Amino acid sequence: MGQSYLANIKEAFFNSKFNKRFWLILLFEFLFVLSVSFLLVVFASISFSAFVSDPNSKLLSSVTETILPLDSSSSNTIDNADSLNRLVPLALKGLGLFAISLIFFLLLYSFFKGIEWKFAVKGKFNMLYFFKFLLFNFLWLIVFFILLSFFALLLVNGAAPLIIIILAFLLFHFYFVSLVYLSKISHIFRGLSLGFSRGIRIHRYIIPYLFFFILFLVPLFIIINLFALDFSILSSPELLYNFQSYAQGFGTAFFTLTALFLLISSYVKIFFSEFLTAEANLKI
């Protein structure tokens, strides 16, 4: 790592200030969390109405019959087939609700994150960029589900968890770098090309990643100790007798960590937009 690399990191830190740009990004981070929380409440209510309150769904009886051991003998074939037939409409309804909720989440994510990244790169948000950002996230979502299936296959075949962690990190890394360049030039395939060509030099991101990892990890341990959180209590009968006190402690810690994460996330966007701008001008 040469002096120019360290100079780029130094320049990015000095240019990443807690100014109007930072506070605007933080505002939209907060609005995104509120929107997703509202989305979860709405779809949870819809799911409850569709699967529990609807007298025609017969969810409990259908599931109870289906999870019984299936017998391949001729005497039970008809009953087993009937149980599966009852479950199919419920499964389709569940998949439909999941797909709709995923679409709404993708729209919310692309809208709010698109605005945040445009603020980070000092650009202007418009509908053309929104649709490009939406398509970009949709393409990565497909890649994510393909790799998720691949990860599950690795686990089933006894692959080491470290391999899966490394692959997951590489997925996040290339998505993150490509996303920054997309926000800068508003061109999907050019952003992907720059993301992979610049992102392949992973050694140049080690120091920034380590810094932000420590920046989040240290306060995390402080908060856990500050609120005296004992996660083993979640599987202990003692939780039933002191539920209110533990719920208050976990709730306070959760909201504190969420606020901390939003602050760090806002700063990370500005830093990496400045860092990659400096890196793009570097001849290697």
Side-chain angles (χ1 to χ4, degrees):
M1 298 180 187
Q3 177 63 32
S4 54
Y5 168 70
L6 297 177
N8 286 335
I9 295 178
K10 181 180 178 181
E11 179 183 349
F13 275 118
F14 277 109
N15 291 334
S16 305
K17 301 175 181 178
F18 294 92
N19 52 18
K20 180 181 178 181
R21 181 169 51 147
F22 169 81
W23 295 111
L24 284 173
I25 293 173
L26 181 61
L27 172 63
F28 279 93
E29 288 271 21
F30 178 70
L31 291 176
F32 172 69
V33 171
L34 286 181
S35 300
V36 171
S37 300
F38 177 75
L39 179 69
L40 289 174
V41 171
V42 169
F43 276 94
S45 301
I46 293 175
S47 299
F48 180 83
S49 176
F51 290 103
V52 179
S53 299
D54 186 359
N56 297 319
S57 64
K58 304 294 184 183
L59 174 65
L60 185 59
S61 61
S62 297
V63 172
T64 302
E65 292 174 4
T66 306
I67 63 175
L68 291 176
L70 298 180
D71 190 344
S72 58
S73 63
S74 58
S75 60
N76 290 319
T77 300
I78 297 178
D79 292 337
N80 293 338
D82 182 61
S83 297
L84 290 174
N85 288 333
R86 293 186 188 184
L87 188 61
V88 168
L90 296 174
L92 292 176
K93 185 182 294 185
L95 288 174
L97 286 172
F98 174 76
I100 294 173
S101 62
L102 189 62
I103 291 172
F104 272 95
F105 174 80
L106 192 61
L107 289 171
L108 287 175
Y109 178 87
S110 299
F111 177 74
F112 284 104
K113 298 303 174 181
I115 292 177
E116 292 169 23
W117 278 108
K118 272 301 182 183
F119 279 135
V121 301
K122 302 177 182 177
K124 292 184 178 180
F125 180 85
N126 54 46
M127 293 307 297
L128 179 60
Y129 169 75
F130 166 71
F131 285 116
K132 289 181 178 180
F133 196 79
L134 179 63
L135 178 58
F136 173 82
N137 286 308
F138 177 73
L139 293 174
W140 273 101
L141 186 65
I142 295 175
V143 173
F144 170 77
F145 278 116
I146 292 174
L147 290 180
L148 187 64
S149 302
F150 177 66
F151 293 162
L153 187 62
L154 287 177
L155 282 175
V156 170
N157 288 276
L162 181 61
I163 297 177
I164 297 176
I165 292 174
I166 292 174
L167 291 175
F169 167 77
L170 291 175
L171 174 65
F172 163 79
H173 169 70
F174 285 111
Y175 168 79
F176 187 70
V177 178
S178 301
L179 188 150
V180 177
Y181 281 116
L182 168 66
S183 301
K184 282 183 170 294
I185 62 180
S186 297
H187 192 286
I188 295 177
F189 297 107
R190 179 63 177 157
L192 286 170
S193 175
L194 284 172
F196 279 91
S197 62
R198 301 286 178 177
I200 198 66
R201 299 171 295 183
I202 298 177
H203 64 283
R204 304 191 72 88
Y205 299 85
I206 292 177
I207 293 178
Y209 281 151
L210 282 177
F211 173 77
F212 288 111
F213 178 73
I214 295 172
L215 186 64
F216 183 77
L217 197 63
V218 171
L220 174 63
F221 281 110
I222 294 175
I223 290 172
I224 290 176
N225 287 279
L226 182 64
F227 294 102
L229 299 179
D230 181 10
F231 291 97
S232 63
I233 196 67
L234 294 175
S235 59
S236 171
E238 186 180 347
L239 179 64
L240 298 175
Y241 302 102
N242 300 282
F243 178 78
Q244 185 175 356
S245 59
Y246 282 114
Q248 183 178 1
F250 279 106
T252 305
F254 172 77
F255 285 112
T256 305
L257 284 174
T258 300
L260 177 66
F261 176 79
L262 294 182
L263 286 168
I264 296 175
S265 175
S266 301
Y267 183 80
V268 165
K269 288 181 174 65
I270 297 176
F271 171 82
F272 271 99
S273 67
E274 297 290 343
F275 175 65
L276 291 178
T277 297
E279 284 283 281
N281 297 325
L282 195 62
K283 293 182 179 180
I284 301 177

